[in-house]
Amino acid sequence: MTECFKGWSKEDGNTAGRCCCNCANQVEIMRHPWNTMIGGRMKGPISQNAGWGCRAPDFEGKIIFLEDQHSACEVHEWKND
């Protein structure tokens, strides 16, 4: 378990260091050259990061897209390091 306070600080009540970056539900989303978002983060080589996603079970197979790796929500589950 690695604490992180970048997305949600101790001062705001995150005493455990919960963050999307240490959540088991976070997935990395990669770019694709056929995407049409010119100037956006989604078009490009598949080796480049486009953002981050949350695949929490509550979302019934859907992934919620996030631009930043660091945030927090109520479905946080610690990664098994």
Side-chain angles (χ1 to χ4, degrees), residues 11-47:
E11 293 78 22
D12 291 328
N14 184 17
T15 57
R18 293 175 184 269
C19 180
C20 289
C21 75
N22 57 30
C23 180
N25 296 315
Q26 186 182 68
V27 294
E28 186 172 8
I29 298 174
M30 308 308 282
R31 299 177 189 219
H32 192 281
W34 292 355
N35 287 339
T36 58
M37 291 181 64
I38 306 298
R41 296 184 60 153
M42 302 305 284
K43 184 176 178 71
I46 60 172
S47 60

